[in-house]
Structure formats: structure tokens, C-alpha cells
Amino acid sequence: MSVRVRRVYEPPQSEDGVRVLIDRLWPRGLAKDEARVDEWPKGLTPSAELRRWYHAGEGSYEEFARRYEAELAEPEAAELLDRVRGLAAKGPVTLVTASKNLEQGHASVLARLLRSES
């Protein structure tokens, strides 16, 4: 199972496969045809409360990841996660985000969960 994470502002590449936008809001300054996004499951993003808590510096990345995984276990998010997992089982999937910190944000949590389910 090939799952990778890239910034949505980077030019799409042929090896991206299915491009899944994992942000709740559309990235600023980016035209939809330039992004080449195939899926946009907004329900996979962290809740506004969790996002505010983490960005306010109130907790560690590990605690954020634990709380986010709990949110992803909720029925709607779990169904969307299964959909992306199914796409990844058929071919490469690239999770795209506007976030600058790919290693300590929700993209890394999602990628790890998808890779561990293979």
C-alpha cells in the first residue's frame, strides 16, 4: 500500500495516484484545476476544538495524535478512513494538505493509520 504526504501547493506528479485533500478549508490562492484533487473527505480533518488546542501549544504532538485517532474512530470519520484505505489498496494515494509541518500534524497521523492497516 503506497500512501504519501505532500503539500497541496507542490505540482502534482504522475506517481501521486489518487490525490486526497485532507484539510477542512480549500487552500488559499490555489485554483481547483491546479490542485488536481480527486477526493476531499472533510470529515477526516481534526475537529475545530482539537485543532485550536494543538495550535495554541497546549499539548504535545503525541497527545494530539491520541485525541485525533479517537476522533477518527467515530462512525463518520471511520467510514471515510475506510474509503481512503480502499483507494490505497487499489493503488497509490497521496494525502495533500496546505500545512507546512507534515511530520507533526494530522497528515502524519492519517498516513500512519493508513499504512498500518495494509
Side-chain angles (χ1 to χ4, degrees):
M1 177 179 299
S2 173
V3 177
R4 57 190 232 170
V5 177
R6 299 184 64 221
R7 292 204 66 223
V8 71
Y9 298 108
E10 297 173 18
Q13 298 178 345
S14 59
E15 61 268 13
D16 283 349
V18 177
R19 291 172 55 89
V20 180
L21 178 63
I22 55 170
D23 295 338
R24 186 158 311 263
L25 302 175
W26 188 262
R28 282 196 169 122
L30 185 65
K32 292 190 179 187
D33 59 332
E34 289 177 43
R36 283 202 18 235
V37 168
D38 300 303
E39 300 275 334
W40 188 12
K42 296 176 189 176
L44 279 182
T45 62
S47 66
E49 298 80 22
L50 180 57
R51 204 172 49 253
R52 278 193 288 273
W53 172 84
Y54 184 52
H55 292 298
E58 297 179 23
S60 67
Y61 170 72
E62 291 75 20
E63 179 63 16
F64 166 78
R66 187 189 67 71
R67 291 181 183 192
Y68 181 39
E69 286 181 35
E71 289 184 357
L72 291 171
E74 294 295 320
E76 179 189 352
E79 186 177 317
L80 292 170
L81 191 60
D82 283 343
R83 172 159 172 67
V84 175
R85 189 175 289 121
L87 294 170
K90 295 175 186 172
V93 167
T94 299
L95 305 176
V96 293
T97 179
S99 175
K100 291 180 181 176
N101 187 350
L102 300 179
E103 291 79 32
Q104 291 197 328
H106 73 291
S108 66
V109 175
L110 276 174
R112 179 174 44 79
L113 287 175
L114 290 167
R115 290 175 187 137
S116 70
E117 298 291 330
S118 58

